[in-house]
Amino acid sequence: MSVLEGTWQHEYIISNGLRLHYVTQGEGPLMLMLHGFPEFWYSWRHQIPEFAKDYKVVALDLRGYNDSDKPKAQSAYVMAEFIKDIEGVIKGLGYDKCILVGHDWGGAIAWSFAYAHPEMVERLIVLNIPHPAKFAEGFRTPQQLLKSSYMFLFQLPVLPEMLLQAGDYQAIENGLKGMAVNKSAFTPEDIAAYKDAAAKRGALTAALNYYRNMLQQGMTNPNWGVLNVPTLMIWGEKDTALGRELSYGTATYVNPFQVRYIPDASHWVQQEKPELVNEYMREFLSS
């Protein structure tokens, strides 16, 4: 059986004029999960069955990724559109609010969505993605600029796509397994699933367009108010792309706020330490 098949169901929804793919399991309040780069819904494979015991879990393929629509225009990959996508998914599923969970780019979208529609976010859980104001601060330091140097490479046309495709998408494997502390968190079948998703027509360019529109995403704007949504941040401390220091001082911008650090996990924290991540999420949701 394919690793993509499990206890969940595959579904599609029309939101903001696009056909978006998601997997879902369970019934109850909505828990909406947003993945990062270079992933797809499969990033949440260890969380979906666990939280389906109490929630309707929906793990989305973001626009441009895997089996979701991939608009060709670079201008389609901006935060204002991502926010509309999420709003349309929540309402289209018949809910007026959700528990919103995001990692990496999905976390950046989750932060921005919570600011735009706090009434639609019952609780916010972000993994290894800083608050946008802290991200903007980090971008003014040499250490973080060095760690984020790949983002500048991604601004170029064509070349990043060629580099990511080279050697049967070896860069995808290097980015996932290579960065991981626990290499066994990614089986050969997992890596193959990620490569297959990246290889779908238009997916790589779409994913890179998120970065190519960095200045339009609002993430480098330091002027953010206080978010009054209960928020949990989970941070794998061995993240080579985003330093732990980007999490410091987040409580200035969020009320109430909790942070849980996981010392022996990388950027791919929910895949390397799924039991601990699930435990921290459960504690937060029951508090």
Side-chain angles (χ1 to χ4, degrees), residues 114-261:
Y115 268 93
H117 297 287
E119 76 288 351
M120 296 184 73
V121 182
E122 192 172 338
R123 295 199 176 209
L124 176 64
I125 301 173
V126 290
L127 299 90
N128 278 75
I129 189 73
H131 183 281
K134 303 305 294 183
F135 187 86
E137 274 181 35
F139 249 65
R140 297 196 289 274
T141 67
Q143 312 94 279
Q144 188 54 51
L145 281 170
L146 185 61
K147 288 179 179 179
S148 300
S149 56
Y150 67 94
M151 295 186 188
F152 300 104
L153 170 65
F154 287 174
Q155 303 306 308
L156 300 173
V158 184
L159 179 63
E161 281 90 336
M162 292 173 64
L163 293 172
L164 288 168
Q165 288 170 339
D168 185 29
Y169 295 82
Q170 185 62 37
I172 301 290
E173 182 169 354
N174 295 347
L176 293 164
K177 198 166 186 175
M179 284 170 62
V181 178
N182 172 20
K183 310 294 183 190
S184 66
F186 295 100
T187 67
E189 293 78 16
D190 295 334
I191 296 297
Y194 280 116
K195 287 182 176 182
D196 288 347
K200 291 184 178 173
R201 187 186 295 270
L204 269 187
T205 296
L208 289 163
N209 282 342
Y210 282 64
Y211 292 96
R212 289 169 176 151
N213 291 331
M214 280 294 288
L215 294 177
Q216 292 100 292
Q217 309 297 16
M219 292 165 62
T220 51
N221 172 10
N223 302 311
W224 293 78
V226 175
L227 178 66
N228 293 305
V229 170
T231 299
L232 170 67
M233 176 181 281
I234 298 175
W235 200 281
E237 293 188 39
K238 297 289 198 298
D239 191 331
T240 55
L242 296 165
R244 171 183 161 140
E245 66 278 359
L246 294 179
S247 68
Y248 301 160
T250 305
T252 305
Y253 296 96
V254 189
N255 180 47
F257 175 72
Q258 297 178 31
V259 61
R260 303 299 294 262
Y261 295 104

Side-chain angles (χ1 to χ4, degrees), residues 11-22 58 60 68-69 85-94:
E11 305 284 353
Y12 288 88
I13 190 168
I14 302 298
S15 175
N16 192 22
L18 297 181
R19 186 174 186 253
L20 301 178
H21 171 261
Y22 65 93
V58 170
L60 194 66
S68 285
D69 279 354
D85 292 349
I86 304 311
E87 180 184 9
V89 167
I90 295 168
K91 291 179 177 175
L93 290 167

